[in-house]
Amino acid sequence: MSTTTASPLRPRVTTAPDGAGPGPGPAPWWASAVVYQVYPRSFADSDGDGVGDLRGITSRLDHLVDLGVDVVWLSPVYASPQDDNGYDISDYRAVDPTFGTLEDLEELTDALHARGMKLVMDLVVNHTSDEHPWFVESRTSPSSAKRDWYWWRGPREGMEGGAPGAEPTNWRSAFSGPAWSLDEASGEYYLHLFSRKQPDLNWENPDVRAAVHEMMRWWLDRGVDGFRMDVINMVSKDVAADGSLPDGRDADPRTGLAGGGEHYLCGPRIHEYLAEMHAEVFAGRPEALLTVGEMPGVTVADAQRFTDPASAEVDMVFQFEHVDLDHDGSKWHPVPLDLLALKASSGRWQAGLAERGWNSLYWNNHDQPRIVSRWGDDSPEHRAASARCLGTLLHLHRGTPYVYQGEEIGMANFPWASAEQLRDIESVNHLAEEVGHGGDPAEVLSRVAVSSRDNARTPVQWDASPSAGFTTGEPWIAVNPDHARGWTVADQADDPTSVLAHYRRLVALRHDWPVVALGDFTMLVPEHEQVYAFTRRLEGEGPDGAPAADELLVVANVGSSPVDLTDLLPEAVAGPGRDLELVLGTVPGDGGGDDADVAADPVLAPWEARVLRRG
Ligand code: TEU
């Protein structure tokens, strides 16, 4: 089985019909693209200061070419005090010196374009840094010309500013504590759904929106190919005509705080704002661009409207339904994944966006723990197989897959031993809050260790050298010690059985087989607790222009024990009257058999996945 070409087999359908994608016409380029997310602090350090940077990324582009990805999504590199690792921006048109210069970014952009890849920047405009000149001016006084660029409110009726519970609403910040902070000088509070150094912009103010649009056009004019829009469904708040904002329901009796999301997730003017942004920034531009909106709490119905091309809002959204499935009320109370729940959720999103709109597909990003540790099995025996299995499942769904740096080599969660090792503001604040409420530090750490965003942020493991080839300096966050045990790019690059080799095949399969990008999705055995199976079907034209059809059957064993398909899913086992060919398998040749044997073997090995083509 070759390491780069997806499969010795060739697709029957080489041309998809119009309407097979998100809308009526020909499918857009990004419907068959694969996006690779780079978290610049942890990708590659070129100057030995222990923090990744732009020149480090440019120096490692061959790895992305080798993987075959089409787009790089770059997490923020803008000027920032780094309170939330760059998601707190103090200048949208400058690169933070930690990461380099505008020239370095231009060099990266050109280098990507020269290799046929595109660059999508992170757009963080629900909030700025409190060190952004807009907020600095807004804070000067209640009569500041930019006061209404942010959310300023006086203390709760009848209460003294600074008193417990005097915040204008009972909303909780995502990083613990109230979502309002008092400005002593004016006696007013400002809203920050994230850290107190990330004040929310007031999108009710048309000047704010115009300034954002202008900044976006500035980046597109510099050759950027699109935006990943940070918590973009939070920019419309449920404000009353008198300017008041409502309390959230179900407040936590310990703190009196509530999420409040019902008052700012997909708020009353969100579609108006996104349609206006599209008209002001993207409409009429000749470039082939991509936009994806990160939208916590978004539903299938919302996503249908957001991503329907007729809406002219965004191309796709990041939804959170699946990554909240193993949370008992909060991410800090992790529970084992129920595969039935995952299949039900994926099935809903696949069906919901089958006719109109488009899905993004992801297991990992810089906010989620590593999937092989989370839903796979990162024990030495099963780690590689479960990484290949989970990758296959994700990449064979209908939608645009996102590969997060390190996922392609099966990187796992870090063995956190002490709170001092943590860097993420969300994790650090939560740990302090829980211990402050009397929690046992070791017990709290054990839960934070499972869900912390820092699991995604340990340096990429390029080789087995002391700092995994990430830096010649002292890394800003610890390198996972397993880099000395083969979990590196160098160890896997020339190994056809590696996780990396398999991710290359998955990317190639999506490029070579239109049915993978555009085929209809049908879930199979939804009731089975260990087998995840579905079909993908596409009718179109063959190489000769004649009508043709391709139907793939994907079957995966999402567990560490073998599964027999004989009775469960006989149609997935090749045999008399069941013409099935193996397009791609995850058990690379070590069965000694050829592809036909694999297709005819009724037993799925632990974490084995097969992509079969029906005759
Ligand atoms: O994340 C928003 C978001 O939903 C996360 O805060 C998520 O709830 C949490 O991390 C899950 O634990 C975006 C960015 O991706 C994140 O890195 C930023 O911290 C946040 O917005 C604020 O900009």
Side-chain angles (χ1 to χ4, degrees):
M1 185 181 295
S2 74
T3 60
T4 48
T5 58
S7 165
L9 294 179
R10 304 312 306 148
R12 293 196 182 100
V13 175
T14 51
T15 305
D18 284 2
W29 65 272
W30 38 261
S32 54
V34 177
V35 182
Y36 187 92
Q37 180 191 1
V38 169
Y39 191 70
R41 286 186 78 85
S42 305
F43 191 72
D45 172 24
S46 69
D47 59 9
D49 67 352
V51 180
D53 51 46
L54 289 164
R55 290 185 175 202
I57 301 169
T58 304
S59 74
R60 292 287 187 179
L61 289 184
D62 292 350
H63 172 62
L64 303 187
V65 172
D66 173 55
L67 192 52
V69 294
D70 307 280
V71 181
V72 166
W73 153 27
L74 182 60
S75 276
V77 293
Y78 313 95
S80 162
Q82 303 293 321
D83 188 56
D84 183 20
N85 290 0
Y87 282 90
D88 50 311
I89 298 170
S90 54
D91 184 343
Y92 287 107
R93 298 179 195 215
V95 168
D96 195 276
T98 309
F99 300 123
T101 65
L102 270 174
E103 291 64 39
D104 293 334
L105 184 52
E106 203 161 322
E107 189 190 318
L108 172 62
T109 309
D110 295 346
L112 285 166
H113 290 165
R115 291 165 175 78
M117 289 187 273
K118 292 180 180 293
L119 175 66
V120 163
M121 293 280 277
D122 218 306
L123 179 77
V124 186
V125 288
N126 170 70
H127 45 267
T128 67
S129 164
D130 65 345
E131 298 181 27
H132 190 291
W134 294 345
F135 187 73
V136 172
E137 185 186 340
S138 179
R139 184 175 211 158
T140 51
S141 85
S143 59
S144 153
K146 286 208 166 32
R147 193 70 166 184
D148 191 36
W149 281 48
Y150 294 84
W151 295 89
W152 292 96
R153 294 289 184 278
R156 183 181 290 272
E157 189 86 25
M159 298 192 71
E160 189 61 36
E167 293 82 8
T169 74
N170 63 357
W171 300 355
R172 182 180 43 245
S173 156
F175 299 155
S176 301
W180 297 89
S181 288
L182 179 66
D183 170 57
E184 301 286 352
S186 65
E188 290 189 336
Y189 290 85
Y190 66 89
L191 175 67
H192 52 84
L193 293 178
F194 295 91
S195 90
R196 65 175 59 241
K197 286 186 68 61
Q198 292 168 298
D200 280 51
L201 282 166
N202 173 15
W203 277 59
E204 303 292 315
N205 183 331
D207 298 339
V208 167
R209 302 196 307 270
V212 168
H213 301 156
E214 195 203 346
M215 176 266 288
M216 294 171 74
R217 289 190 297 266
W218 186 82
W219 280 109
L220 294 180
D221 293 344
R222 293 182 69 87
V224 163
D225 306 293
F227 295 100
R228 174 266 186 190
M229 304 178 184
D230 192 62
V231 288
I232 199 67
N233 69 325
M234 292 186 182
V235 298
S236 169
K237 277 62 169 182
D238 196 1
V239 60
D242 66 0
S244 64
L245 293 158
D247 275 338
R249 57 173 181 262
D250 310 330
D252 175 336
R254 284 186 321 170
T255 61
L257 298 174
E262 67 272 23
H263 298 305
Y264 56 77
L265 295 176
C266 297
R269 298 179 69 184
I270 190 62
H271 291 288
E272 172 199 342
Y273 291 158
L274 290 180
E276 178 192 57
M277 175 196 277
H278 192 280
E280 294 294 326
V281 178
F282 302 115
R285 290 196 76 109
E287 306 97 328
L289 305 174
L290 181 156
T291 58
V292 53
E294 183 206 26
M295 296 194 181
V298 73
T299 64
V300 171
D302 296 328
Q304 285 166 340
R305 181 171 173 192
F306 282 125
T307 67
D308 182 341
S311 302
E313 295 182 22
V314 292
D315 297 326
M316 57 192 96
V317 300
F318 288 135
Q319 53 98 356
F320 284 63
E321 208 175 272
H322 60 312
V323 291
D324 289 340
L325 288 174
D326 56 355
H327 297 166
D328 177 11
S330 101
K331 64 180 285 179
W332 306 119
H333 295 281
V335 293
L337 174 74
D338 169 1
L339 189 69
L340 300 185
L342 177 64
K343 293 196 281 186
S345 172
S346 303
R348 240 193 331 273
W349 282 87
Q350 290 285 301
L353 299 179
E355 301 309 320
R356 280 292 167 274
W358 194 252
N359 275 298
S360 69
L361 306 170
Y362 73 93
W363 291 145
N364 288 293
N365 58 38
H366 62 294
D367 290 336
Q368 302 295 331
R370 295 282 181 182
I371 202 68
V372 73
S373 301
R374 187 179 187 179
W375 295 347
D377 177 342
D378 60 8
S379 68
E381 184 187 0
H382 294 302
R383 180 169 163 179
S386 65
R388 288 191 295 265
C389 178
L390 293 166
T392 305
L393 273 178
L394 188 87
H395 284 252
L396 268 293
H397 277 69
R398 178 184 162 86
T400 297
Y402 288 72
V403 178
Y404 177 65
Q405 64 184 43
E407 180 183 339
E408 74 277 18
I409 58 170
M411 281 180 63
N413 282 355
F414 185 89
W416 305 104
S418 77
E420 285 62 47
Q421 295 174 305
L422 294 168
R423 299 285 180 272
D424 167 34
I425 183 172
E426 184 189 49
S427 303
V428 169
N429 286 5
H430 176 72
L431 204 142
E433 182 182 46
E434 285 299 299
V435 171
H437 282 133
D440 165 55
E443 191 279 331
V444 176
L445 178 63
S446 68
R447 286 188 284 109
V448 168
V450 172
S451 302
S452 174
R453 306 188 302 177
D454 277 338
N455 284 308
R457 300 173 181 190
T458 59
V460 168
Q461 297 164 203
W462 297 103
D463 60 39
S465 62
S467 292
F470 164 70
T471 181
T472 55
E474 181 57 35
W476 71 279
I477 190 169
V479 172
N480 196 315
D482 67 10
H483 75 285
R485 299 194 298 275
W487 298 104
T488 73
V489 172
D491 288 286
Q492 298 186 24
D494 302 324
D495 173 357
T497 71
S498 67
V499 176
L500 179 53
H502 190 68
Y503 266 75
R504 287 188 199 116
R505 293 187 199 109
L506 290 171
V507 174
L509 194 65
R510 180 168 290 271
H511 291 159
D512 300 346
W513 291 63
V515 63
V516 173
L518 301 167
D520 296 342
F521 178 97
T522 305
M523 187 70 82
L524 301 174
V525 292
E527 76 300 334
H528 198 276
E529 294 178 351
Q530 190 169 331
V531 171
Y532 194 133
F534 52 91
T535 62
R536 303 290 312 277
R537 181 176 174 74
L538 181 69
E539 295 182 7
E541 288 174 11
D544 56 3
D550 261 325
E551 180 159 341
L552 301 181
L553 191 156
V554 180
V555 59
N557 175 2
V558 186
S560 299
S561 55
V563 172
D564 191 323
L565 299 173
T566 306
D567 302 327
L568 171 67
L569 201 58
E571 69 259 39
V573 183
R578 287 195 304 276
D579 176 3
L580 283 171
E581 297 165 291
L582 185 71
V583 173
L584 181 65
T586 59
V587 178
D590 52 15
D594 64 17
D595 294 352
D597 295 345
V598 174
D601 181 348
V603 177
L604 282 176
W607 300 101
E608 180 180 359
R610 300 174 188 164
V611 181
L612 302 149
R613 174 166 67 189
R614 280 196 164 137

